Amino acid sequence: MKRLLATTALLAVLTTPVMADVTIGGDMEWSYQDNDGTTSTVMDGDINFKASTSTDTGMTYGADFNLDQDGNDDGGNSITIANDGFKLDLGDVNSALDAIDDTTDFTYVLGNGSPSTDHSAILSLTPIDGLTVNISNATGNDYGTTAGEGYAYSGTYAIGEIATVGAGQMKNADDSEELLMNVKGSMGPLGVAFEKHTATTTADVDTDTTTMGATYTIDALKVGVELMETQSAGTISSDEITLGAQYTVAPGLVAFAEMTEDDKTSSEKTTAFGISVKF
């Protein structure tokens, strides 16, 4: 009996949540793809565990980690400290540029957006209504990140409910850098976006990735288009168009069809059909 009581007490301690709120969510996505005659099926998904608690002073502390469909690390694992005026994320997090980019990408599998780089810490501030400022950093040897040593900063400003403009820059220790500018807006069912990402090497060679996109939503149906061009030293290496349609069958369940084609690369001609489930 004593052993039973001790075991019961231990289980009660182990199963008592330390954090006030724990949520589990994620998504699973399946698609059938035809890449210029080569067909395949693709599965992509992740599960997210997030825990948070708040103090009497208004501070919120949290942690999250993510696993993909194979049980491997899916990135984005971090500890968060926040209040009404700031949020600090530590771990494998977005860089300040990633925090505001991909304004044109509406797709599930074939869209582009801008090149991305993770950092190890990002601080977000909201000094006034509509304005968000982000500052991020990487030491060059950080868990889960894709960056060398450097820092980045960015900001977005919402012009009422009509449009949001954003800009940011990344400075790396090897003297390479990235610059990002974008704008997105909406009017009723119509959404439009523009984004330009410029990566500059240590030899001062620029690679510009310019994307434009538009979406139109009718009840449960959304259709969209994204145009992407990559140019370096006066040479266009990619000139891609992506078309897509999404239909919300039920809350959390979306059926989609997408097509992309690149005038500069025939192997980029791909069609995809699939479904996505979020929970």
Side-chain angles (χ1 to χ4, degrees), residues 150-162:
Y151 66 94
Y153 53 88
S154 68
T156 59
Y157 183 72
I159 306 172
E161 298 181 356
I162 300 176

Side-chain angles (χ1 to χ4, degrees), residues 36-52:
D36 201 21
T38 301
T39 61
S40 62
T41 60
V42 179
M43 181 71 80
D44 185 23
D46 64 87
I47 185 168
N48 318 118
F49 300 87
K50 297 184 179 182
S52 65

Side-chain angles (χ1 to χ4, degrees), residues 102 149 156 182 199 240 271:
D102 294 344
E149 182 180 357
T156 59
N182 57 32
E240 190 169 334
T271 302

Side-chain angles (χ1 to χ4, degrees), residues 28 108 220 246-256 274-279:
M28 188 64 75
Y108 281 87
Q246 303 164 5
Y247 186 80
T248 302
V249 180
L253 175 61
V254 176
F256 62 87
I275 54 175
S276 174
V277 177
K278 291 185 177 181
F279 54 90

Side-chain angles (χ1 to χ4, degrees), residues 128-149:
I128 60 174
D129 288 342
L131 175 64
T132 300
V133 179
N134 307 291
I135 305 169
S136 65
N137 177 75
T139 68
N141 188 22
D142 300 317
Y143 157 77
T145 70
T146 57
E149 182 180 357

Side-chain angles (χ1 to χ4, degrees), residues 9-10 12 22 26 41-42 57 89 97 100 104 156 187 215 218 227 232:
L10 178 60
V22 178
T41 60
V42 179
T57 60
D89 281 320
L97 267 61
I100 69 169
T104 66
T156 59
M187 184 175 295
T215 60
I218 309 172
L227 306 175
S232 181

Side-chain angles (χ1 to χ4, degrees), residues 84-137:
D84 291 338
F86 82 94
K87 182 174 74 168
L88 175 65
D89 281 320
L90 305 169
D92 180 7
V93 299
N94 285 331
S95 67
L97 267 61
D98 288 347
I100 69 169
D101 70 354
D102 294 344
T103 58
T104 66
D105 186 9
F106 66 95
T107 66
Y108 281 87
V109 295
L110 299 182
N112 291 290
S114 293
S116 61
T117 302
D118 289 347
H119 274 180
S120 58
I122 181 170
L123 174 66
S124 299
L125 306 171
T126 52
I128 60 174
D129 288 342
L131 175 64
T132 300
V133 179
N134 307 291
I135 305 169
S136 65
N137 177 75

Side-chain angles (χ1 to χ4, degrees), residues 52-75:
S52 65
T53 188
S54 299
T55 67
D56 294 337
T57 60
M59 296 291 292
T60 298
Y61 301 87
D64 71 88
F65 68 91
N66 307 288
L67 300 174
D68 66 15
Q69 69 279 358
D70 297 319
N72 300 316
D73 179 10
D74 197 44

